[in-house]
Amino acid sequence: MQINQYIDHTLLSPTATLDDIKRLCQEAIEYHFYAVCVPECYVSLARNYLTEYPIRVAATVGFPLGSMATITKITQAKNCITQGASEIDMVINIGFLKSGLDDKVEQEIASIKKAIGDHVLKVILEISYLSNNEKQRATTLAIKAGADFIKTSTGFGSNPVTPEDIILLKEFAGTDIQIKASGGIKDAKTAQLLIKAGASRIGTSAGVNIVT
């Protein structure tokens, strides 16, 4: 297992500076990570830094709460793609899901997927806030809406992701959608267990620690 090629090397801190993002990109180059994941405002910086490398740029949309209007998320997603992102990590409207507004949740995901075309869409469920029934519904909605991944957490949720979380989501997802594990992943052993459980991508700010 070449674990570096599972990693979205991530920096989403509100205090992240230009130099911090450049350092993130340099680490991604040095350790051959699959992607970097950055806020919208740093997409063009990351893309320009990584121009000569096959490292993808993922950008967050509706982050971290998911409660923005759909049109706002669509505008964000389009801008991220224009600035050079090849993947979008969007947060679902958790309140709508909990209110039983499944059609609205699905329509929002589908609208963003339509807006970004062939680019990869990952749907952040923020599972620490969800019941098992809500996790299953959210997974089904993401599949129906044409998303490419479900993702466990923004990293701002209350609990770290576990292999058991991934096994459960895999039961709901089957082979219809991939799973990105994120939230509190700090070491290689945890990352390997999450991959074994069914994750095909790892989102972490500890990528260097994991591979070294």
Side-chain angles (χ1 to χ4, degrees):
M1 178 191 297
Q2 291 188 321
I3 199 168
N4 57 325
Q5 278 296 293
Y6 285 84
I7 290 177
D8 286 1
H9 195 36
T10 301
L11 182 56
L12 300 170
S13 166
T15 60
T17 65
L18 293 169
D19 286 343
D20 292 333
I21 298 298
K22 290 175 183 176
R23 188 177 308 110
L24 182 85
C25 293
Q26 185 56 46
E27 289 169 349
I29 293 167
E30 183 176 352
Y31 294 100
H32 306 285
F33 293 134
Y34 188 87
V36 296
C37 186
V38 298
E40 179 185 6
C41 66
Y42 287 136
V43 169
S44 60
L45 172 63
R47 182 68 278 158
N48 290 337
Y49 200 101
L50 297 169
T51 296
E52 298 178 8
Y53 301 92
I55 299 165
R56 291 161 176 78
V57 176
T60 54
V61 164
F63 197 87
L65 302 178
S67 52
M68 301 75 174
T70 296
I71 187 63
T72 304
K73 292 181 181 178
I74 292 171
T75 302
Q76 260 195 302
K78 287 181 175 178
N79 182 56
C80 289
I81 297 300
T82 299
Q83 296 297 315
S86 54
E87 303 190 352
I88 297 296
D89 290 30
M90 65 157 285
V91 188
I92 64 165
N93 192 311
I94 301 163
F96 279 5
L97 182 73
K98 287 185 166 292
S99 298
L101 300 176
D102 290 19
D103 287 349
K104 285 186 175 292
V105 175
E106 181 184 343
Q107 288 165 8
E108 180 174 89
I109 299 167
S111 296
I112 294 172
K113 180 59 181 174
K114 182 179 179 181
I116 67 172
D118 292 335
H119 298 282
V120 170
L121 178 62
K122 309 189 201 93
V123 178
I124 304 173
L125 308 185
E126 200 67 287
I127 61 171
S128 61
Y129 298 146
L130 304 182
S131 68
N132 286 348
N133 172 265
E134 289 164 343
K135 293 171 192 174
Q136 183 171 22
R137 283 167 43 218
T139 300
T140 300
L141 295 171
I143 292 168
K144 289 170 65 179
D148 301 282
F149 282 79
I150 49 172
K151 177 178 171 182
T152 55
S153 176
T154 60
F156 291 78
S158 55
N159 298 315
V161 63
T162 67
E164 290 73 24
D165 291 325
I166 302 302
I167 290 168
L168 181 65
L169 291 177
K170 190 67 177 174
E171 288 179 8
F172 301 150
T175 59
D176 294 325
I177 197 166
Q178 297 185 74
I179 300 172
K180 176 176 172 179
S182 60
I185 305 168
K186 301 295 186 185
D187 59 80
K189 181 180 179 181
T190 300
Q192 288 165 351
L193 289 172
L194 293 167
I195 293 166
K196 185 177 180 181
S200 50
R201 199 81 69 83
I202 299 291
T204 178
S205 59
V208 173
N209 184 57
I210 286 171
V211 298
T212 57

